[in-house]
Each structure stands twice: as C-alpha cells, then as structure tokens.
Amino acid sequence: MMAEPEAPSPDPEPSEEEPRPSRVAEQNTQRDLREELSEQRKRSRISAQNLDALYADAVIGGDDIAGASHRATDGGTVNAPGRDQYFIGWSQDDKAVRTIGVPARTVGIVRRCHAPTESSGTLSRRLHHEHVLLLRGEPHSGQPTAALAALARWTGDDERLAWLHLGRDPLRLVTADLRDATGYLLTAGDDATWSGHADQVLGHLCRVAERAGARIVVLTGPEFPEHDWTVQHDPPPLDNVFANWLVHELYEGGEAHPQERAGKTAADELVREKLGGYRRPREARALALQVAAGLLHGRSVGEIIEALPEQRRLRARTLLAKETPRRARSFLIAGSVLSGSAATVVATQTLRLATLIEEELARQTTVEQPRRHHLWEWLSDWTEDTGISVKETGRGGDGQVVEFDEPPMAGSILRVVWEEQPTIHEPLLAWLHQLSEDEQSDTRMKAAEAIGLLATYDFRAIRDRFLEEWRDSDKFERRELAAWALASAARDPQVEPRVLECLDRWARNGRRAQSVVIRACGSWLGARHVGEALRVLRDIARTSGYVLAGSVARAVSQIHQDTENAEVPETTRRIISTLVEWSADRESKWPGRAAALAFVRLLASPDAVRVIDLAADPDAADDLVALWRHILHYGVTRAEGAALTPEAWDLLSDWLGRWEADAGVRRVLFEVLTRPPDELRMSLSFHLRLWSRIGKVDAEVAARLAALIEGS
C-alpha cells in the first residue's frame, strides 16, 4: 500500500506535552492511582460498548479466512480482505520476503467448512505434481479458502501452511526463504513487475519452490494474463458455504446434533430467501455465524433474520424518511452518537444539529421558504416509534439517559445517514466537530469514535479535516481525539491496515504525533497487536525523554486490561518479559522509567490478579523479581528524572499479605528480599517494622524477612 504524503508536525518542547510535576504534586497524584485505574476501566467499557454498537454492521472476516489477521513469525500481521494483502509491522524494517504462518486452528476450520467445487478439485489434483499454480478469480469469491483447502490436502499437516509477502520485487525470493513440504499462498501484485513479466516471475517462483520441495498458489484477479498454470476459480454454492459454517459453529457451541439442526435451518424458507439475495461467500458465512449464535441462545430463525444488519438498515431508512419531522431525525442522529448520555445532553445537541442542518438546507435552496410557525415540541414526540428510550439511571441525581432498545441501531442510523443523505454531510461534520470540543470527556470520546466511523467511508478526507488538526494541537485533549478516532476506524477490517500505516508514520513524526500513537496503542488496537504495540512504545520511550514515559506506562497497562480472556496468560507473560527488557535498556534510561511506572500500574489495577497468578510460573518468577526490585529502587531514588514510585511500598505490603497463602508470591518475594541492593535495605527494614507494628504483616513473618534483608 502506498504511503500518503503527510507534512511532519513540529516537535514541541517538553512543556507542551506533559508538564513535569513537582515531587509533591506527583506523589499526590499517585495516591489516587487506583481511582485513576478504575476510571480508566470505566472509560474502556463505555468505549467498547459504543464501538460494538457503531460497528455491529461491519462484517468481521471475509472469504472465510480472508479478512482475518494472521501473526507473522518475525512480527507483524497480514490482513487479507478479499484479494488485497497487507503487511503491517509497525516497524521500519523493509524485508524483501516475509513468511506468515496460518494458524493450525484456522486450517482445521477451513478443512471442515470449505465447500468443494470442480475447480478446487482440479487445484488439489494438480498440486500433487506442479509446484506453482495460479488461482484466477473475481475478488471476494472465496479464493483464499479454496487455496488453503487444496494446500492442506497436499501437505497433510495443518502446521505447514503460510502466506508469502514478497515486497516490491518477487525475484528476491530464494530457496532458504521456504520450508520443505510447506504450502504457501501468495497474492499477485498489480505492478509492472507482475503484469509485464509474468512468465519471468512465475518461472522464478517455480524454480525456488521445486528446490525447496514446497508448493505455491498465487491468487490473481480476472485481469491477470492467461497462463498454462492457471486454474479458473469457481465460487462455491452459497447454500453449501452456509450449511458447512453453520454445522461448525453449532458444534463449537455445544449443540448435541449440529448436522441435523443445520440441515433443518438451511431448509427454512426465510434462510433460503436471504441466501438468494447474496452474491459472496463472506455473506453466507456471516449469516451462518449470526444464525448459529441466535440458535444457541434460543432464538427462532424469524427473530434472528429480523435482527440482521440489513434489516436494521431498512428500519433506519424508514425512521429517516422525509415524512419524519426534521428535529426527530436530528434526534435519531444525536442519539446514535451519544447513546447512553444524559437526556438533557442529547436534547440540547439535537437542537444544535437541527439548526446546522436547517441553515445548510437554506443555503442549498434558491426558493424562499415560507415562514413556519414555532412549534412547542416534546421529547416524547421525538422518541415515538424510533426504538429509542429515555430511561431512568436508578441513581439519585443522574436523571435520565437516552439509549436504543437495540444498541446496534446506532451504527445503522449513522451509516444510512452518511450513505444516503449527502445533503447533510457538512452540517453533520460541523456538529461532530463542535461535539468533540465538549467539556465532558465521554461526549468528546463518542464524537471522535463517530468521526472514526465516517473515516471508513473516506479516510483521506477525515484525516485532512480532523485527524491532522488534532494531532498537531498543543492540547492533549485534542490529540486524544485523534487516537480515539483512529482506533474506531480500525474496527473496520478493510480500514485497519490504513490506520496502522498512519500510526507507523506518526510514531516517527514528533512528540505530538507520538502522543497520539501512544494513546492508540493503549486501546483495543494495541491489545490485538500486542508485540507490535510494545515495540512502538519502546521506541517512543527511548527518544521522547521524560515527557512521554508516563503515557507509555498508561498505554501498557491499558493493553493488559483490554486483552481478550483467551489470551490473558500469554499476554501478561509477554508484557512482563518486555518490561524487564525495558528496565535493562542500555541505550536509554527512559524505557526503564516507563517500565517502572507500567509495572506499578499492573500491580495496582483491578487486573493485578493476572500478575499474581504469573508468580506460580517458575519461568516468569525471575522477571517478577527483577521488576519488583526495579520499582522499589525507583521508590527511594532521588536521581534526576526518576519514575517516583512510592506506592510500590503499599503494593509490596499487599503482596506480603499473601506470604502464607500463596507459594508463588512467597517464592518471588523471598528472592526480592534476600540481600537486596544496599540502597533498598534501609527502606525495606523501616517498612517491615512499620507494617509489623500496625499489624499489616505478621510479626514472626516480619522478623524472618528482616533476617533475609540483612543476609543473616
């Protein structure tokens, strides 16, 4: 993907970023660390709910496996929506060849869910004696799935399939880049190297694959020149795609008789009617996933079909029809952006949006409009038959809030407005810009995330109008808007590569841009790309000095918090080992400062139990010991630019409270307290005496620990 030109933002003085607090001020702030972390968790929950509603209509995934993300062996991610393959590494490396292994689980699913066709059978047969083949077809027609299924049959090993990314020059591929008995998928480029010299490129690939004992399937579009090695891809029957995926999802969900239930469901008239309107395998797959989820939750087929995104779109069009009063339509839009906000806020913003729309429509017409009588309007007039409710919060003094009965309608409303009502684009953008300057942080966040949704339609326009202005602001609140908007836009799998590419450039574009990148890393986006995000944060910490280390630490703790449950142990271990590396960084002291602040946040957060559980892992114990000594050192040091982590002592007392009950914690602390560095001994001894006297640590345990500290 070509990088779009972008003017570098000026590099501000440190005082423009995060003014360095006095020692007293910083310590007072740290006393409220747990409160800050609790607020961070609340904000993340609101953001997640908002993004889930805005992007409920987005199809996550593509032609069965296209559109999914696959981890590269050397870092980075491949995103393959349709036939378009992107490598996103968040690094300055420009390797000629990258190998990205397809997870064995993905291959297994493809084996079970692939709908065979005559062309896929031909591909499988020819792979037994030909090293390179072309699979030629229309975009979004299921090519990657067919290629994977055929390669999986040839290898007979779900662990031996991978994507190839050849950069700009496919002729730089060598035998050492490939493994024996491995099948590779490669997307043909659309540059002159491929189109003008196809025979030369394919001949080179064949020679390399033959020497390596590998197979390569090249995915091409219909415009690619005819060739003897071409297999013309036939799109699979959509009813077969639907049925296969439905069986798989029901089986995974614990259905006792998945084949039988899938057969009955596939024969349902509503399902067949819906499939008849589809043209792509991804649509049939998406329907299967949604139907399976509904069936497993006890809903009928009719209820499931009625809740599909396209049905919401139809209802949204009806609600936004011309017959609906203009202010009622404005209320729908405001409610979509501000769902969950106070009713008074939504009502006020409705009037502001309606005024902007009326002014814009007045400018667009040359016909003098008759003066209208002022109408007294009630909030209930706006909510009637809209699917929006004004609800009591149940908390005294909080009043009422506005919410959709069906939260995903929020995204459907905004999408229909943007796609089908171009006359109000300008007032909508102007209103969102005003909203992004609101005093309430939650309101600003919702406005930025709605702008991020609009970026999925025209990324360049939104970048030029909003993102760059926010990035270059000397106010952190404005730069935070850019991060929220980018993280929102990345929820669309088709746009995520552009967002990551943008962040990659901004990470080398001055401290203001870097602060946006840090904030975006500290979101669900960083939690999805943990390795890449941590590398970016380390690089920024090395070059940004004192001013951004605290922000880097907050981003690390946010990544840890936002990690999906299935990946929690692995991610916790990965973050801890990374912080140890930062703490020992010889090139710069600033990653060590960020590591100290980040580890304190992990220990103080509501997710601290993940770190405590890690103490039981012998392989992680040494890392925990190193980090404990690191933060305790920063808790007593007076060196210039120190991390100032006095709350480390309170956290240590919390861990000491687990001494008797938790063997893992006991082993870690035994090492931490055994003959610690000289600069820590006096403080450790003092705190042990204090905690023993006030009853926070058992006196006998305290005496044994004091002996460890003194080395006797």
Side-chain angles (χ1 to χ4, degrees):
M1 181 185 294
M2 295 295 292
E4 296 168 2
E6 186 174 272
S9 61
D11 194 2
E13 294 299 315
S15 60
E16 292 180 290
E17 285 293 321
E18 294 177 4
R20 181 171 177 172
S22 67
R23 182 172 292 273
V24 173
E26 186 162 359
Q27 288 177 343
N28 287 339
T29 300
Q30 288 167 338
R31 292 192 187 104
D32 297 327
L33 180 58
R34 282 194 170 91
E35 182 179 339
E36 178 191 336
L37 291 167
S38 177
E39 182 63 29
Q40 174 179 295
R41 176 177 285 276
K42 176 183 175 184
R43 180 76 55 77
S44 294
R45 185 173 62 251
I46 293 172
S47 175
Q49 292 172 346
N50 193 47
L51 292 176
D52 284 346
L54 290 178
Y55 287 89
D57 286 5
V59 177
I60 306 301
D63 301 339
D64 294 352
I65 61 101
S69 296
H70 305 292
R71 194 69 56 197
T73 55
D74 51 1
T77 301
V78 159
N79 288 75
R83 282 193 311 105
D84 304 322
Q85 184 179 357
Y86 306 92
F87 182 84
I88 305 299
W90 286 21
S91 71
Q92 299 182 47
D93 298 335
D94 185 22
K95 292 188 176 182
V97 178
R98 292 184 186 269
T99 302
I100 303 94
V102 180
R105 172 173 167 77
T106 299
V107 178
I109 293 174
V110 167
R111 284 182 183 275
R112 293 189 291 275
C113 297
H114 174 240
T117 62
E118 184 177 347
S119 65
S120 68
T122 300
L123 182 65
S124 292
R125 288 190 297 274
R126 292 184 64 175
L127 278 175
H128 284 290
H129 51 84
E130 296 181 61
H131 290 85
V132 175
L133 288 171
L134 302 171
L135 187 59
R136 189 167 178 260
E138 296 288 340
H140 311 295
S141 61
Q143 285 171 288
T145 301
L148 265 184
L151 287 169
R153 291 191 188 95
W154 174 76
T155 64
D157 184 349
D158 291 356
E159 300 279 354
R160 303 191 72 85
L161 276 84
W163 285 91
L164 270 182
H165 178 80
L166 299 184
R168 298 180 182 276
D169 185 2
L171 299 179
R172 294 177 69 179
L173 179 71
V174 297
T175 305
D177 293 322
L178 305 181
R179 292 194 305 162
D180 180 38
T182 297
Y184 294 92
L185 288 88
L186 171 64
T187 301
D190 56 4
D191 53 22
T193 304
W194 279 91
S195 58
H197 305 86
D199 286 337
Q200 180 184 3
V201 171
L202 292 172
H204 176 74
L205 293 179
C206 186
R207 287 189 293 273
V208 173
E210 186 173 4
R211 287 195 294 267
R215 296 290 189 270
I216 300 174
V217 174
V218 183
L219 308 179
T220 75
E223 72 286 347
F224 198 84
E226 288 285 353
H227 199 281
D228 292 341
W229 297 348
T230 298
V231 175
Q232 187 64 39
H233 172 67
D234 298 329
L238 298 192
D239 53 349
N240 290 355
V241 174
F242 172 83
N244 291 355
W245 275 97
L246 185 59
V247 170
H248 169 73
E249 291 297 311
L250 290 175
Y251 175 81
E252 291 287 305
E255 170 66 33
H257 305 286
Q259 197 83 38
E260 179 182 345
R261 193 168 191 190
K264 291 180 179 178
T265 304
D268 188 284
E269 185 177 345
L270 291 173
V271 171
R272 297 186 65 80
E273 180 181 352
K274 184 60 63 178
L275 283 172
Y278 290 161
R279 295 293 178 267
R280 297 174 175 177
R282 66 168 57 186
E283 295 172 313
R285 171 183 179 267
L287 179 63
L289 267 58
Q290 292 171 92
V291 169
L295 292 175
L296 291 170
H297 282 86
R299 294 195 291 271
S300 69
V301 172
E303 291 171 330
I304 296 168
I305 298 297
E306 185 62 24
L308 292 176
E310 52 262 43
Q311 299 301 118
R312 285 197 301 270
R313 296 277 189 111
L314 291 174
R315 295 199 297 275
R317 291 189 184 96
T318 301
L319 292 172
L320 293 164
K322 293 180 180 179
E323 294 75 18
T324 306
R326 188 171 296 154
R327 290 190 179 181
R329 281 181 276 169
S330 298
F331 178 72
L332 275 167
I333 299 170
S336 298
V337 175
L338 296 170
S339 180
S341 298
T344 53
V345 171
V346 179
T348 299
Q349 293 300 333
T350 293
L351 295 176
R352 289 180 179 176
L353 175 59
T355 299
L356 289 170
I357 293 174
E358 288 163 4
E359 290 173 352
E360 176 64 22
L361 293 179
R363 283 193 294 270
Q364 292 176 7
T365 182
T366 57
V367 179
E368 184 177 354
Q369 299 294 320
R371 186 172 182 176
R372 290 174 297 173
H373 294 290
H374 176 73
L375 296 176
W376 189 271
E377 295 172 324
W378 301 90
L379 187 58
S380 58
D381 295 335
W382 296 346
T383 61
E384 186 176 2
D385 297 326
T386 62
I388 295 181
S389 299
V390 179
K391 304 175 181 178
E392 298 288 344
T393 63
R395 298 184 299 271
D398 283 355
Q400 299 174 312
V401 296
V402 169
E403 293 180 346
F404 277 91
D405 298 332
E406 187 182 0
M409 274 297 292
S412 299
I413 291 288
L414 284 178
R415 290 174 186 276
V416 169
V417 165
W418 192 257
E419 292 171 357
E420 303 185 18
Q421 300 191 0
T423 56
I424 68 167
H425 280 191
E426 185 56 36
L428 176 60
L429 291 174
W431 174 72
L432 286 171
H433 193 279
Q434 291 179 11
L435 201 62
S436 71
E437 298 178 343
D438 193 87
E439 293 182 357
Q440 296 296 320
S441 176
D442 287 352
T443 299
R444 296 197 303 270
M445 179 177 67
K446 290 176 180 179
E449 290 176 343
I451 289 169
L453 173 64
L454 300 184
T456 65
Y457 291 94
D458 192 337
F459 188 85
R460 184 191 293 269
I462 295 299
R463 186 200 65 188
D464 294 346
R465 177 161 181 165
F466 294 98
L467 301 181
E468 290 181 349
E469 174 192 334
W470 290 337
R471 178 200 65 191
D472 296 337
S473 173
D474 61 355
K475 296 180 179 178
F476 173 73
E477 291 80 7
R478 300 277 83 80
R479 299 195 297 276
E480 192 174 39
L481 292 170
W484 282 330
L486 285 168
S488 169
R491 285 292 288 264
D492 188 321
Q494 303 282 353
V495 181
E496 183 185 27
R498 300 192 69 170
V499 171
L500 297 181
E501 183 187 42
C502 177
L503 293 173
D504 184 36
R505 294 196 307 274
W506 288 11
R508 304 186 296 275
N509 206 23
R511 284 185 181 145
R512 290 179 182 172
Q514 286 175 337
S515 71
V516 175
V517 177
I518 292 171
R519 185 65 183 79
C521 286
S523 70
W524 72 270
L525 190 57
R528 171 178 287 185
H529 303 279
V530 177
E532 295 89 328
L534 291 176
R535 279 194 292 275
V536 169
L537 293 172
R538 176 206 60 199
D539 293 343
I540 292 176
R542 279 179 176 171
T543 60
S544 63
Y546 183 97
V547 292
L548 292 180
S551 294
V552 168
R554 281 191 289 274
V556 171
S557 69
Q558 189 73 55
I559 290 170
H560 187 249
Q561 174 188 293
D562 288 352
T563 301
E564 295 179 1
N565 290 335
E567 299 178 357
V568 162
E570 178 186 349
T571 298
T572 301
R573 187 177 292 104
R574 189 173 195 174
I575 289 174
I576 292 298
S577 64
T578 298
L579 294 182
V580 171
E581 293 173 6
W582 291 9
S583 69
D585 196 310
R586 294 174 181 263
E587 297 182 23
S588 169
K589 64 182 178 181
W590 304 118
R593 180 178 193 270
L597 294 172
F599 189 55
V600 164
R601 285 178 167 270
L602 296 185
L603 295 175
S605 76
D607 306 298
V609 66
R610 300 180 188 175
V611 181
I612 294 171
D613 290 344
L614 200 60
D617 182 352
D619 294 334
D622 289 345
D623 287 345
L624 292 174
V625 170
L627 288 176
W628 264 112
R629 288 192 169 181
H630 188 59
I631 65 172
L632 292 173
H633 169 75
Y634 271 108
V636 299
T637 186
R638 295 293 182 268
E640 182 68 16
L644 298 177
T645 57
E647 66 280 338
W649 299 97
D650 287 335
L651 296 168
L652 178 60
S653 70
D654 293 341
W655 272 50
L656 285 172
R658 296 174 173 268
W659 180 272
E660 297 291 349
D662 193 319
V665 167
R666 186 164 61 251
R667 283 194 298 270
V668 169
L669 294 186
F670 183 88
E671 293 296 327
V672 172
L673 300 175
T674 298
R675 295 185 180 180
D678 291 341
E679 63 267 24
L680 288 181
R681 290 189 182 187
M682 186 178 295
S683 292
L684 282 168
S685 297
F686 166 77
H687 280 90
L688 278 175
R689 289 195 300 271
L690 172 64
W691 295 332
S692 176
R693 181 167 297 180
I694 65 177
K696 201 165 187 180
V697 176
D698 180 79
E700 184 179 343
V701 171
R704 294 205 306 269
L705 296 178
L708 285 176
I709 292 170
E710 296 303 323
S712 58

